[in-house]
Amino acid sequence: MALYLATGESFRSLAFAFRISNSYISIIVKETLAVLKQNLMPIFLPDRSGIWTKWNFPNCILAIDGKHVRIRCPNNYGSLFFNYKDYFSTVLLAMVDANYKFVAIDVGSYGREGDSGIFLKSTMGQQILNGVFKFPEDSALPGTDIIVPHVVLGDQAFRLHKHILRPFSQKSARGDNSKTVFNYRLSRARRVTENAFGLLSQTFRVYYQPINIAPTTVDDLIIVTCCLHNMLRDAYLENNGKAYYQFDQECSTQNNNMRSFSGEGGFINTEGVRVRDIFKDYFANLGAVPWQM
């Protein structure tokens, strides 16, 4: 199992290496992933944050992003997994904390679904938009008495909401210095998601090629690798930022098998506009930092 996750070797190749039939290896992978998912999720998908102290974005608890994970065309699914980027994929939607750890994930959406629609139908999206997600109480921005909600940071694929901030459009920000600064501050903090996905695929190189197993087993694989990623991040942090494993520097990074969401996130929420403008004005005044220009 470890060799499969770490290298993405085909079942036929593993069958030659271990003298086990490839059909039996597929059973081993499926059953092991199911057990690992059940036991690892309660331990390694915790609720943590720290984006203000580490990435200079106050009242931010998490960042959110989604990736299309490339898979082989599954049998009997038609074009459900065929996405607008012209390949077959399943979707990993994740919230990430300041230490590149996955706090909440949603897996298994069909690749053909619209990116904004995937978030809206996900459990985390429903909880945020319906007001049942457990955000901390609204609090003042540092050094002020301006009370604002706690927020999650996303890109243009997500709907603007009082608890979800996304950048101003390039057209809107052009010529407006305060909007440009806000976009920079948000993008800098939201970078934790890209870093987390990059570490995930670099460690588990099963993501380096289209995953050739049943869609339900792919879901288990994604959940398990996210849990193991968090376990490795814990070890890294406990070891004062020194990893006890090394990446293969001679192996080039693959960028085509895990692609970001794109497009616009639908209707703009007026309360979200108000909250975003408060953060924009704060970063241009009391919340300014020397390097933001």
Side-chain angles (χ1 to χ4, degrees):
M1 170 61 70
L3 184 61
Y4 173 64
L5 294 179
T7 65
E9 288 281 352
S10 68
F11 289 168
R12 187 169 296 278
S13 174
L14 293 173
F16 283 115
F18 293 98
R19 301 297 189 268
I20 303 174
S21 71
N22 58 330
S23 60
Y24 191 63
I25 288 177
S26 69
I27 296 173
I28 293 174
V29 169
K30 179 180 178 180
E31 294 182 351
T32 304
L33 286 173
V35 172
L36 287 173
K37 180 184 75 170
Q38 181 179 358
N39 289 278
L40 293 180
M41 283 186 69
I43 302 173
F44 294 111
L45 286 179
D47 182 13
R48 301 178 184 177
S49 187
I51 292 180
W52 164 233
T53 56
K54 209 164 188 179
W55 299 105
N56 305 106
F57 205 105
N59 284 41
C60 175
I61 59 170
L62 300 166
I64 187 171
D65 200 1
K67 293 289 184 181
H68 286 270
V69 179
R70 188 186 293 259
I71 63 174
R72 294 284 185 184
C73 175
N75 295 329
N76 304 318
Y77 279 90
S79 62
L80 286 175
F81 288 96
F82 192 72
N83 64 36
Y84 60 89
K85 300 181 182 184
D86 293 332
Y87 63 85
F88 292 90
S89 68
T90 188
V91 175
L92 165 60
L93 182 67
M95 290 186 182
V96 178
D97 71 7
N99 294 311
Y100 313 145
K101 294 179 62 176
F102 297 104
V103 173
I105 60 175
D106 182 273
V107 299
S109 293
Y110 298 130
R112 69 175 295 176
E113 298 182 65
D115 292 337
S116 60
I118 290 171
F119 170 71
L120 293 176
K121 77 161 196 169
S122 68
T123 300
M124 66 179 75
Q126 289 291 322
Q127 289 179 344
I128 292 174
L129 298 177
N130 293 334
V132 297
F133 193 88
K134 294 182 179 179
F135 283 97
E137 292 291 327
D138 296 0
S139 62
L141 293 172
T144 76
D145 57 358
I146 303 172
I147 305 297
V148 294
H150 285 79
V151 295
V152 172
L153 304 182
D155 60 14
Q156 294 286 3
F158 296 92
R159 177 180 296 186
L160 185 63
H161 182 269
K162 76 172 187 175
H163 289 300
I164 304 174
L165 295 186
R166 72 179 191 186
F168 291 96
S169 67
Q170 291 185 0
K171 181 178 179 181
S172 171
R174 190 178 297 118
D176 189 326
N177 188 61
S178 62
K179 291 182 178 180
T180 302
V181 168
F182 172 85
N183 283 359
Y184 171 64
R185 295 284 293 269
L186 183 145
S187 297
R188 180 178 183 271
R190 200 189 64 81
R191 190 173 55 190
V192 296
T193 59
E194 296 297 336
N195 293 345
F197 288 126
L199 288 168
L200 179 71
S201 61
Q202 178 76 339
T203 304
F204 301 102
R205 297 188 177 180
V206 67
Y207 290 108
Y208 270 26
Q209 64 248 326
I211 302 174
N212 191 19
I213 52 180
T216 54
T217 309
V218 173
D219 295 346
D220 289 350
L221 182 150
I222 294 172
I223 293 170
V224 168
T225 54
C226 287
C227 292
L228 294 175
H229 165 87
N230 283 1
M231 181 185 72
L232 293 173
R233 290 301 300 170
D234 281 338
Y236 176 85
L237 296 170
E238 291 170 2
N239 200 26
N240 297 318
K242 183 178 180 181
Y244 58 84
Y245 59 93
Q246 293 183 342
F247 295 128
D248 183 1
Q249 301 297 331
E250 296 181 358
C251 183
S252 61
T253 302
Q254 301 294 318
N255 297 318
N256 296 325
N257 291 314
M258 191 178 280
R259 302 283 294 274
S260 295
F261 282 4
S262 62
E264 293 290 331
F267 301 106
I268 293 179
N269 179 282
T270 53
E271 182 68 7
V273 172
R274 184 188 70 82
V275 172
R276 184 170 65 176
D277 284 342
I278 291 174
F279 277 96
K280 178 200 67 166
D281 295 338
Y282 175 74
F283 290 146
N285 296 285
L286 288 175
V289 291
W291 42 260
Q292 72 183 26
M293 301 308 295

